[in-house]
Amino acid sequence: ADREVLKVKSDDDGRTWSPLENISKSVKHPDWSWYATGPGHGIQLKSGRLVVPCNHAVFQSTEGRSGPYISHIVYSDDHGESWRIGEDVGEHTNECSVAELPDEALYLTMRSYHGQNRRAFSWSLDGGISWSSPELDRNLIDPVCQGSVVCTEEGIVLFSNCASEKREKLTLRFSADRCQTWNVLEVLHEGPAAYSDLALTRTGAILCLFECGEKKPYEKIVLAKVKM
């Protein structure tokens, strides 16, 4: 299907919105078929740059279908007026989430299709334009699902996902050593669960919005508030 990328903005905290604007020509190459932003949040860097995690697939004309998923980001240096595409991060990854560390390095965590049930990750040292080759984090088990990441002002990286090979056990972890090791902060839901998204309040609390249920992962959406 021909997927388009649209932009909309609000100048009054979401009370009213501008008309939809199609920005596909700026953020999508002509040979890309599948395209998705998010599904989590984007971030604003210390430099002011806006960064939105995305993913795409390239149409394979010889096979008549799309190739593997590939993560990328789009960015804006003029408050969202114009947008550009960062370099491809790596094949067999999608549904990525990004965080900026205090030293301005960007950490990207990705859903992985490498058959290892582990999260993929990559680093950028230039604001998301280029990325290191994706690696699998052996400490982060994952059921091939979406996850979310944020970073505190003190440099503590927070990560949420289903810590299992099944869509269950929605878990909030933290890392104090630049994502080298991870510790469990809290298991938010032991039963079936799926997608999540993290945010930090101005008072330092952690918010996690996630899908969960008793028999299926998609029965309800819950907002959890956690303190470090």
Side-chain angles (χ1 to χ4, degrees):
D2 185 20
R3 286 175 165 253
E4 297 181 330
V5 188
L6 306 178
K7 179 186 77 172
V8 63
K9 67 178 181 180
S10 173
D11 294 324
D12 54 12
D13 294 326
R15 293 181 179 87
T16 61
W17 294 87
S18 66
L20 290 171
E21 180 182 347
N22 193 321
I23 60 170
S24 301
K25 291 183 178 179
S26 299
V27 300
K28 180 182 178 183
H29 292 306
D31 61 340
W32 289 2
S33 49
W34 166 268
Y35 193 106
T37 57
H41 62 274
I43 62 174
Q44 184 170 30
L45 308 186
K46 294 176 183 177
S47 66
R49 173 174 289 177
L50 302 179
V51 173
V52 178
C54 304
N55 66 88
H56 66 276
V58 179
F59 183 73
Q60 308 289 333
S61 58
T62 57
E63 300 178 20
R65 60 182 178 83
S66 290
Y69 293 122
I70 301 170
S71 293
H72 72 278
I73 64 98
V74 299
Y75 64 95
S76 173
D77 290 323
D78 55 11
H79 306 289
E81 290 301 315
S82 63
W83 292 86
R84 296 181 179 180
I85 312 170
E87 294 179 1
D88 288 355
V89 182
E91 293 186 349
H92 308 293
T93 64
N94 74 346
E95 294 189 340
C96 48
S97 181
V98 65
E100 182 182 31
L101 275 65
D103 63 1
E104 300 184 7
L106 299 188
Y107 172 77
L108 194 73
T109 177
M110 297 167 280
R111 174 173 171 162
S112 164
Y113 295 84
H114 293 89
Q116 302 294 316
N117 284 111
R118 294 296 186 273
R119 295 293 295 183
F121 69 94
S122 178
W123 290 92
S124 175
L125 302 180
D126 55 13
I129 297 175
S130 64
W131 295 89
S132 64
S133 298
E135 301 177 59
L136 298 182
D137 191 328
R138 298 299 173 185
N139 298 313
L140 291 181
I141 190 171
D142 188 79
V144 190
C145 190
Q146 180 264 5
S148 184
V149 66
V150 295
C151 186
T152 69
E153 291 184 0
E154 298 76 23
I156 303 299
V157 181
L158 299 158
F159 172 71
S160 63
N161 82 321
C162 295
S164 171
E165 292 189 2
K166 298 180 180 179
R167 292 195 172 192
E168 62 184 8
K169 198 177 178 182
L170 202 290
T171 302
L172 178 61
R173 295 185 181 91
F174 72 94
S175 175
D177 57 7
R178 292 180 58 83
C179 309
Q180 295 183 62
T181 61
W182 297 92
N183 300 286
V184 174
L185 182 61
E186 187 169 332
V187 177
L188 300 178
H189 185 76
E190 286 279 3
Y195 287 27
S196 60
D197 197 26
L198 291 171
L200 300 171
T201 70
R202 293 178 179 176
T203 59
I206 307 162
L207 301 179
C208 184
L209 187 72
F210 62 95
E211 300 174 307
C212 67
E214 299 307 315
K215 295 182 178 180
K216 296 181 180 180
Y218 318 108
E219 295 172 3
K220 58 185 176 180
I221 296 177
V222 174
L223 178 64
K225 185 177 182 180
V226 181
K227 294 183 179 180
M228 282 290 293

